[in-house]
Amino acid sequence: MASTKSYTGIVSTADGGSAFEDAELQLGEQQLSDGTPPMFAGALATTGVAFVRFSAFDSAPHPASQPQWVVMLRGVVEVTAGDGSTRRFGPGDLVLAADTTGRGHVTTTVGDGPFEALVVPTAPGD
C-alpha cells in the first residue's frame, strides 16, 4: 500500500497570480483507535471543518480566504490558476488552496449538481 497521498496545491506567485503545485502527504501506519486495525494516516492540522453543498459555483478570480484543504466528495469542479493552467477535481481529489494573496484562482462547476466537498482550514502556522 502507498505511504503517500498525492494532492494538488494552489499557491500564490510572486507576480500576484497563482499556480498549481503537485505534492504528497506523507502517511504513516498507525492504530487510530482501540479495536481498529492499523491503517495509513496523514496529519492535517485543522481549526474546523465545513461540509459544503452547492448547485453551481462559477466564481470571479478570488484568493483562498485562508489556507484550506478541499476534498471533493461529489461532482467535478474546474479550477483555473492565475497562470492560465486549468485542472479538474472530482470525488476523492485532495487540493490545498493556499493562494491567499493576489488575484487567486477561478472555480467553476462541470456538469450537473449537486456538488459536495469538505473544506478543512489549516491550523495557524501549518
Side-chain angles (χ1 to χ4, degrees), residues 21-105:
E21 182 177 89
D22 294 321
E24 292 185 333
L25 176 64
Q26 297 301 311
L27 305 176
E29 191 171 30
Q30 56 188 296
Q31 186 172 6
L32 299 178
S33 177
D34 289 339
T36 63
M39 58 189 84
F40 287 95
L44 300 176
T46 68
T47 58
V49 177
F51 171 81
V52 296
R53 178 182 291 149
F54 44 95
S55 59
F57 189 94
D58 297 320
S59 74
H62 64 282
S65 58
Q66 62 186 4
Q68 56 196 352
W69 293 97
V70 179
V71 183
M72 288 301 299
L73 301 174
R74 183 177 181 177
V76 175
V77 296
E78 185 172 87
V79 178
T80 303
D83 65 4
S85 59
T86 300
R87 294 192 187 182
R88 287 187 175 188
F89 302 102
D93 286 334
L94 181 62
V95 179
L96 176 62
D99 59 336
T100 59
T101 61
R103 293 180 301 277
H105 58 277

